Amino acid sequence: MDCTFTPSRCHVDLAALRRNFARLGEAASLMPVIKSDAYGHGLLPVASTLAAAGARRFAVGTVSEGVALRQIGLNQQILPLLGALSPEDWHHAARCHLTLPLENEDDLRMAAQLTDGGSRLQVAIKCDTGMGRLGFARQDLPAVLETLRARPGLEPVLALSHLACADSPEEQAYTQAQAECFAAMSASLRAAFPAMERSLCNSAGTLGLSAYHYEACRVGLALYGGDPFGAQCPAAAMPELEWVMSVSAPVIRVRRLKTGQSLSYGRIFTAPRDMSVAVLAAGYATGVPRALSNNMDVLLDGRRVPQVGRICMSMLMVDVSSLPAVQAGDVAWILGGPTATGQRAVTAQELADDLDTIPYEILCRLGSENPRIYY
Ligand SMILES: *Cc1c(COP(=O)(O)O)cnc(C)c1O
């Protein structure tokens, strides 16, 4: 095994990933989003698993991620969402037949130049319908179409846009306006290039807006088991999704604390009674947010126990007074893990809610900070 600074582990259940993929729709109409190392789950294992399950397209983050997929022999359509960011990126993208998103005049010019030498380039036209970040505005399209027509080496294969608040029912009107704008923009692109496909939806759109699925739904969070609406507001036809990631940490010590004894940095916890405390080998260096100190549960022996005291760099403590059998060498679960009857595993959603963030951030963090094991 590689040298590692941590005994905690990120467990990735590829069978659960396959089941989520199958629950989200037809393989051909999904474009799994595997940017940022597949939201911390690992780019290559996730891509190979989904390719074997029938995925025909992938959205990665960078051109390098796309090149890595080609290097393991995947021949799906690959869209690097960040586009080409350097001259090398442009050349790699052309050489590896990636589908490059073009989002402004400079992109269009660079892409056109690349085809001067006779190479062909598949491109996606990114439309800004209200995200306000990247993409052509509606009034830019005539100039875009003019360039595309003049450059037969450029092959526009996809029109795409991104929804800013498909996960907020109270923003329904905004989402509707974005969808209408995309319908108009993609229609003018397709009037010139009828073979262009369309993609508008992220996970929230895929689950909540069946009228706007078009040819490809870009599913990210839902693939990894997350509910883009959060626990508060499930979509009407929410399929049963399973979390793909769990995170374990060994118990390295169990000790007694006497009433009034304080624990860990800053003494933010003092034993209210005689108690047993287990020390786990996981901490903020391994992706457990320090801000959750005194405010999270951990699963041990299938049961939830409260975390106590400041979370340290590579240790954290839990109150195991209710679990007298726990001993050093036992496995605790920061996320997921096997539950006893009537107990719920800790989820990335729950940690995110307590931190006023979203499960995406928790998954990226725990996944990138821990050695991964695949099932
Ligand atoms: C990340 C991303 C997605 C996927 O979003 P989820 O909410 O995870 O489904 C889709 N499209 C674009 C452009 C993205 O950046």
Side-chain angles (χ1 to χ4, degrees):
M1 179 189 268
D2 290 345
C3 167
T4 167
F5 67 96
T6 173
S8 55
R9 293 287 177 269
C10 172
H11 305 252
V12 179
D13 182 350
L14 295 171
L17 177 75
R18 270 194 295 275
R19 290 191 290 273
N20 289 343
F21 182 60
R23 286 166 184 138
L24 286 168
E26 292 296 318
S29 66
L30 296 174
M31 179 183 269
V33 181
I34 54 175
K35 67 191 180 198
S36 300
D37 211 14
Y39 292 35
H41 295 70
L43 179 72
L44 298 181
V46 166
S48 334
T49 300
L50 295 174
R56 292 187 9 207
R57 336 159 181 263
F58 289 111
V60 294
T62 60
V63 167
S64 306
E65 285 185 320
V67 171
L69 297 195
R70 288 289 183 246
Q71 280 168 348
I72 61 163
L74 297 185
N75 57 11
Q76 279 77 3
Q77 177 181 52
I78 298 176
L79 177 76
L81 291 168
L82 290 171
L85 304 177
S86 67
E88 294 74 40
D89 270 4
W90 285 99
H91 289 287
H92 287 311
R95 190 173 49 80
C96 290
H97 307 288
L98 307 185
T99 301
L100 266 189
L102 309 182
E103 64 96 7
N104 66 25
E105 287 302 322
D106 292 341
D107 282 355
L108 205 52
R109 201 171 316 116
M110 281 296 294
Q113 267 174 28
L114 257 188
T115 63
D116 279 347
S119 58
R120 295 184 59 77
L121 189 63
Q122 288 204 341
V123 296
I125 303 301
K126 194 153 192 168
C127 304
D128 180 14
T129 58
M131 185 72 175
R133 192 172 63 175
L134 301 176
F136 291 103
R138 199 164 171 177
Q139 64 270 22
D140 301 331
L141 284 190
V144 172
L145 283 167
E146 195 178 323
T147 307
L148 290 175
R149 284 202 192 90
R151 294 287 183 159
L154 290 181
E155 191 189 344
V157 295
L158 184 70
L160 105 127
S161 190
H162 196 31
L163 297 169
C165 28
D167 53 352
S168 315
E170 66 276 15
E171 291 282 7
Q172 201 183 348
Y174 194 84
T175 300
Q176 181 66 27
Q178 276 202 271
E180 280 163 20
C181 182
F182 182 67
M185 289 180 77
S186 57
S188 29
L189 289 165
R190 277 157 59 96
F193 299 98
M196 277 181 92
E197 295 188 309
R198 293 158 292 185
S199 177
L200 175 64
C201 287
N202 52 7
S203 292
T206 305
L207 294 167
L209 302 168
S210 54
Y212 303 119
H213 282 183
Y214 295 114
E215 284 73 37
C217 286
R218 303 186 309 274
V219 284
L221 186 72
L223 207 48
Y224 308 105
D227 173 354
F229 301 98
Q232 300 84 354
C233 179
M238 188 72 190
E240 282 277 316
L241 299 173
E242 301 163 70
W243 291 102
V244 172
M245 182 187 294
S246 339
V247 177
S248 69
V251 173
I252 58 175
R253 175 85 199 271
V254 178
R255 55 160 305 168
R256 301 283 302 167
L257 276 189
K258 289 212 176 306
T259 308
Q261 241 184 310
S262 66
L263 177 66
S264 191
Y265 293 113
R267 305 185 64 217
I268 63 168
F269 182 81
T270 302
R273 53 187 153 73
D274 288 1
M275 59 193 292
S276 293
V277 166
V279 182
L280 313 185
Y284 58 81
T286 63
V288 183
R290 182 176 177 274
L292 288 174
S293 294
N294 270 347
N295 189 28
M296 64 182 274
D297 286 343
V298 165
L299 205 70
L300 241 174
D301 196 21
R303 283 156 235 279
R304 280 177 176 246
V305 289
Q307 192 279 323
V308 285
R310 268 271 185 264
I311 294 169
C312 311
M313 188 180 287
S314 49
M315 286 185 257
L316 60 83
M317 280 61 76
V318 293
D319 175 0
V320 291
S321 307
S322 62
L323 302 175
V326 165
Q327 54 183 6
D330 286 358
V331 176
W333 295 87
I334 308 293
L335 281 187
T339 48
T341 325
Q343 294 277 320
R344 285 173 307 112
V346 177
T347 65
Q349 181 69 52
E350 165 184 351
L351 299 187
D353 286 344
D354 286 334
L355 285 165
D356 199 18
T357 184
I358 50 177
Y360 304 69
E361 188 177 350
I362 304 291
L363 296 176
C364 287
R365 223 168 134 172
L366 285 166
S368 64
E369 304 290 350
N370 288 286
R372 288 183 291 242
I373 302 173
Y374 292 91
Y375 303 102

